[in-house]
Amino acid sequence: MLSRSKSTLWTVIITWLLALCFAGCSLLAEPPVPTPAPTQESQIEEEPVEAHPTPSDATLEPEGERPAPDRETLYVHFIDVGQGDCILIEAGCFTVLIDGGPRNSGQLVVDYLVKRGIREIDVLIATHPHADHIGGLIAVLESFPVKRIIDAGIPHTTVTFDDYLTLVETQVKAGCRYETPEDQTIELPGAAFLDILGPPGDLGSLNDNSVVCRLVFANTSFLFTGDVQQAAEESLLEREVPLTADVLKVGHHGSRTSTTPPFLDAVSPTYAVIPCGRDNRYGHPHDEVLERLERFGVTVYRNDQHGTIIFTSDGDTLYVQTCTE
Ligand SMILES: [Zn+2]
């Protein structure tokens, strides 16, 4: 945990205020000051807006060049796709995309990747076949070559899934590796790694068979849980796989059927991200989950309130940017 001097804090705050004047992206819609306010004790600190391009920063056009490889910094973007999941991991030039949100967010996701200078995807993970996770991947698969695809390997009887599968087959014919999850570790630049933690594949519901993975970069870590519910959480606990993480992507959009206290206790996150749409018809996130997170002292970020949420890690400290339209 790092602390900053007062002068550095004032520099950050002044930089933020200046950046807010010129950028279309704000930390939060209101109040117009950095929130949550960093404290001396906080592990999480805001990053100057101009330091890392965000969706509103049109500095990288489609034909633009990718930022220079940076092995010292890891970016994890929780892209605001409304009611759905979409997570982009960037480690140097290595790109991992976990889910793509619903189908009507596909172009938004493609545009986001293009603005980041991304031209191919190293690993694409489709956690499970529900439309709010794979729908947006259709536009992604149509737009970018993908080197490796990992999904739960479980079919679904929807047009969206058929379209997804057709495009996966096209990618495989072009040389892409297709895998169903096995306990495996994907190495990323900068000695970061992504552990695929399952599912075991026999848990009944599509949600519980979501691909779960844990990203580690030096002393910082993230856990991505798809839409797993209690059965999968119990399975992960029984298998005693490593679950601790600084940042938990909350399962199933904050539904009360997920994020059980024993699971939360094992993950022991400092921060949680809830991917959910504004005024969604499911009432996500449910109050019970918000209360559990509060009881465990977890700081919560939500796509419906904070827009796209970007964590930056230097291996020791996590920084966060939020970006509402
Ligand atoms: Zn979902």
Side-chain angles (χ1 to χ4, degrees):
M1 186 178 297
L2 299 180
S3 62
R4 293 189 174 207
S5 67
K6 282 185 178 176
S7 62
T8 304
L9 273 174
W10 276 113
T11 302
V12 170
I13 291 168
I14 291 167
T15 305
W16 261 105
L17 291 173
L18 285 172
L20 289 171
C21 292
F22 296 105
C25 176
S26 64
L27 184 68
L28 287 174
E30 50 180 290
V33 292
T35 308
T39 65
Q40 292 286 338
E41 292 73 34
S42 176
Q43 188 184 5
I44 202 157
E45 300 175 19
E46 286 75 20
E47 190 81 353
V49 167
E50 59 269 75
H52 305 292
T54 59
S56 300
D57 296 322
T59 52
L60 290 169
E61 296 303 325
E63 63 277 12
E65 291 298 323
R66 187 108 193 247
D70 179 358
R71 288 172 177 267
E72 306 301 321
T73 308
L74 178 85
Y75 302 97
V76 179
H77 309 246
F78 295 88
I79 301 171
D80 181 11
V81 290
Q83 184 70 8
D85 277 22
C86 184
I87 302 150
L88 169 67
I89 301 167
E90 292 180 286
C93 274
F94 198 94
T95 301
V96 180
L97 185 69
I98 304 174
D99 290 335
R103 194 156 190 163
N104 63 10
S105 70
Q107 192 56 49
L108 179 152
V109 176
V110 169
D111 291 346
Y112 193 102
L113 300 185
V114 167
K115 281 184 181 176
R116 296 296 297 177
I118 291 167
R119 293 181 176 174
E120 65 177 3
I121 295 169
D122 293 283
V123 179
L124 185 150
I125 298 174
T127 61
H128 66 296
H130 283 153
D132 56 325
H133 295 255
I134 64 163
L137 291 180
I138 290 165
V140 171
L141 288 164
E142 287 172 337
S143 305
F144 299 92
V146 180
K147 291 183 178 174
R148 186 172 176 181
I149 295 172
I150 299 171
D151 72 19
I154 299 171
H156 195 30
T157 54
T158 61
V159 172
T160 300
F161 183 75
D162 283 348
D163 292 346
Y164 160 80
L165 209 54
T166 299
L167 288 163
V168 169
E169 288 167 359
T170 302
Q171 292 276 354
V172 169
K173 282 177 189 160
C176 170
R177 280 167 62 188
Y178 169 76
E179 300 167 345
T180 51
E182 295 170 3
D183 290 348
Q184 57 178 303
T185 298
I186 298 169
E187 294 182 1
L188 280 65
F193 61 89
L194 187 68
D195 271 342
I196 308 295
L197 304 177
D202 56 356
L203 291 174
S205 77
L206 290 175
N207 284 344
D208 275 321
N209 283 307
S210 293
V211 177
V212 174
C213 52
R214 179 173 177 264
L215 174 67
V216 177
F217 178 45
N219 296 316
T220 59
S221 51
F222 299 74
L223 185 67
F224 307 106
T225 56
D227 275 0
V228 295
Q229 303 176 121
Q230 184 170 353
E233 292 179 358
E234 289 174 353
S235 170
L236 287 162
L237 291 169
E238 283 168 13
R239 292 168 55 216
E240 297 184 342
V241 295
L243 294 172
T244 55
D246 299 307
V247 182
L248 169 66
K249 198 294 292 180
V250 169
H252 199 195
H253 318 287
S255 166
R256 61 175 66 86
T257 55
S258 306
T259 322
T260 56
F263 186 73
L264 207 43
D265 191 40
V267 178
S268 190
T270 306
Y271 310 102
V273 176
I274 303 177
C276 56
R278 293 160 193 81
D279 302 320
N280 67 79
R281 61 191 168 116
Y282 309 100
H284 292 155
H286 290 150
D287 289 342
E288 296 95 313
V289 171
L290 294 175
E291 286 164 10
R292 282 175 217 156
L293 291 166
E294 186 176 0
R295 186 150 38 93
F296 279 80
V298 183
T299 300
V300 174
Y301 290 91
R302 301 166 47 165
N303 285 131
D304 63 335
Q305 293 183 347
H306 301 102
T308 290
I309 300 150
I310 307 168
F311 282 86
T312 305
S313 168
D314 61 9
D316 287 313
T317 305
L318 289 170
Y319 301 83
V320 68
Q321 272 181 272
T322 60
C323 184
T324 50
E325 290 298 321

